[in-house]
Amino acid sequence: MGEKFKALLDKHCVWLEDTVKRIDDNLILTKRDKASRSWAVGEALMLTHQITGTSGSMGFKEVSERAALLEKKLKPLEFSEGDDYSQDLEQSIELLRSLKTEADKVSPEGSSLYYVNLG
Amino acid sequence: MRSGILLFWLAEVGKETKVGLVNEDSIMSELKRISYTDDEPDIRAIAQIALEDIGGFEMQMCSGGRETVERVPVFQPDLILLDMMMPGMDGVQTFKALKAMPEIAEIPIIFMTAKVQSHEVASYMELGAAGVIPKPFDAITLAQDLQEIWQRHPARGAV
């Protein structure tokens, strides 16, 4: 029954790489297209929230923690464009780089669930 | 021991034929069936493994609030777990809808959420939640965490 976890972990690693890329695409869009900012930040926020929850429950604690930091930075950007917007956006991009660094290291064997024996 | 003495005395008064010591825990209902709701498929998948394979529970998995409200009265779980942030009907709306149905209103409900600051948890408990499990959850200990909340909840009652 440990195989069930392994199958999920394999799938999750693929999903994680794709989702980090989608967050990146949305933040790039945020910089380029002012009209789409709110929507793009909202998308990035939703995807980051998914990583925080799913990766954490999959046993990838570092990834989840970095996603939580990015989520916290993105939240105030979704509906407001205050004086610090550009600076906050740049900081979000830095946090995304940090998340990507951690996500790139992820493999099924790196999960705390990989060696769980359910049988 | 206290329960055993009480049962013996009642047996004598009520002309019962059964006599003996009864372990207090054995007359309390067991946690067997759980309904779990989360809109994210991977979270549902990991929770199902954690609760079926590790916890040994009989599970019903739902993907949203509306589905939960339709299926819980049929499944009649001992416990309901609800994700908080879901599209359409969120966790609180689902909670209120379930509590408005007399046939299932007494079933304890636990929220699963990343929003676990003390004032947030206080508001969930004030609403009537049986407990809160922080997300991300630990798949290895989730079953045990639920048992601990279940053991403390008055709805366990006596059979």
Side-chain angles (χ1 to χ4, degrees):
Chain A
M1 282 191 272
E3 293 305 313
K4 285 189 186 178
F5 272 146
K6 288 174 186 171
L8 271 182
L9 293 171
D10 283 338
K11 188 179 155 210
H12 182 73
C13 291
V14 173
W15 172 87
L16 181 61
E17 186 184 349
D18 179 61
T19 303
V20 170
K21 169 94 180 40
R22 288 170 66 194
I23 297 170
D24 195 19
D25 290 344
N26 276 290
L27 292 188
I28 290 171
L29 182 64
T30 301
K31 288 183 81 171
R32 285 184 188 161
D33 181 1
K34 202 169 177 179
S36 304
R37 265 181 181 174
S38 183
W39 178 86
V41 169
E43 279 294 294
L45 187 56
M46 179 201 62
L47 294 167
T48 307
H49 177 72
Q50 285 179 356
I51 294 177
T52 306
T54 309
S55 294
S57 296
M58 289 282 181
F60 297 112
K61 191 170 170 234
E62 278 292 329
V63 170
S64 175
E65 286 174 355
R66 301 221 182 167
L69 289 173
L70 174 57
E71 194 180 344
K72 198 172 172 185
K73 182 56 76 173
L74 282 173
K75 220 167 187 116
L77 298 181
E78 191 178 6
F79 297 115
S80 94
E81 291 203 25
D83 294 338
D84 297 327
Y85 189 92
S86 294
Q87 187 182 352
D88 287 343
L89 185 57
E90 286 304 323
Q91 288 172 354
S92 296
I93 291 170
E94 275 305 310
L95 287 170
L96 177 61
R97 284 199 193 107
S98 169
L99 169 60
K100 188 175 185 310
T101 300
E102 206 54 45
D104 284 348
K105 291 189 247 173
V106 147
S107 68
E109 293 84 352
S111 164
S112 56
L113 302 180
Y114 186 77
Y115 296 103
V116 169
N117 183 6
L118 300 173
Chain B
M1 177 65 89
R2 193 172 52 197
S3 306
I5 289 171
L6 178 63
L7 187 63
F8 178 76
W9 189 82
L10 285 173
E12 286 292 289
V13 171
K15 307 280 187 237
E16 292 274 349
T17 55
K18 280 191 183 176
V19 176
L21 288 174
V22 174
N23 182 297
E24 185 178 342
D25 284 343
S26 73
I27 66 171
M28 293 298 197
S29 59
E30 242 186 287
L31 177 57
K32 291 180 183 168
R33 294 156 69 82
I34 300 176
S35 176
Y36 186 101
T37 302
D38 198 301
D39 61 308
E40 294 185 28
D42 284 356
I43 300 257
R44 286 202 303 276
I46 200 86
Q48 187 162 16
I49 296 173
L51 295 176
E52 265 181 5
D53 295 319
I54 297 177
F57 301 120
E58 186 181 342
M59 297 301 298
Q60 168 181 272
M61 309 305 287
C62 299
S63 60
R66 284 195 180 84
E67 183 186 352
T68 306
V69 170
E70 282 170 13
R71 294 177 65 195
V72 158
V74 177
F75 183 64
Q76 288 288 328
D78 300 309
L79 185 67
I80 300 168
L81 270 60
L82 294 180
D83 181 27
M84 189 63 85
M85 287 178 64
M86 297 186 286
M89 266 179 105
D90 66 14
V92 171
Q93 290 168 326
T94 307
F95 179 96
K96 288 178 177 175
L98 292 169
K99 289 301 181 186
M101 301 166 78
E103 68 271 36
I104 55 167
E106 295 305 310
I107 300 174
I109 301 177
I110 294 175
F111 285 122
M112 311 273 296
T113 178
K115 296 187 175 186
V116 289
Q117 293 195 24
S118 54
H119 71 277
E120 289 165 326
V121 173
S123 73
Y124 309 144
M125 301 308 287
E126 205 171 305
L127 194 61
V132 180
I133 300 275
K135 284 176 89 176
F137 56 80
D138 184 334
I140 305 301
T141 64
L142 182 60
Q144 181 60 37
D145 294 339
L146 294 183
Q147 283 285 14
E148 284 170 11
I149 295 175
W150 173 257
Q151 293 295 327
R152 290 194 304 262
H153 198 270
R156 283 180 61 223
V159 292

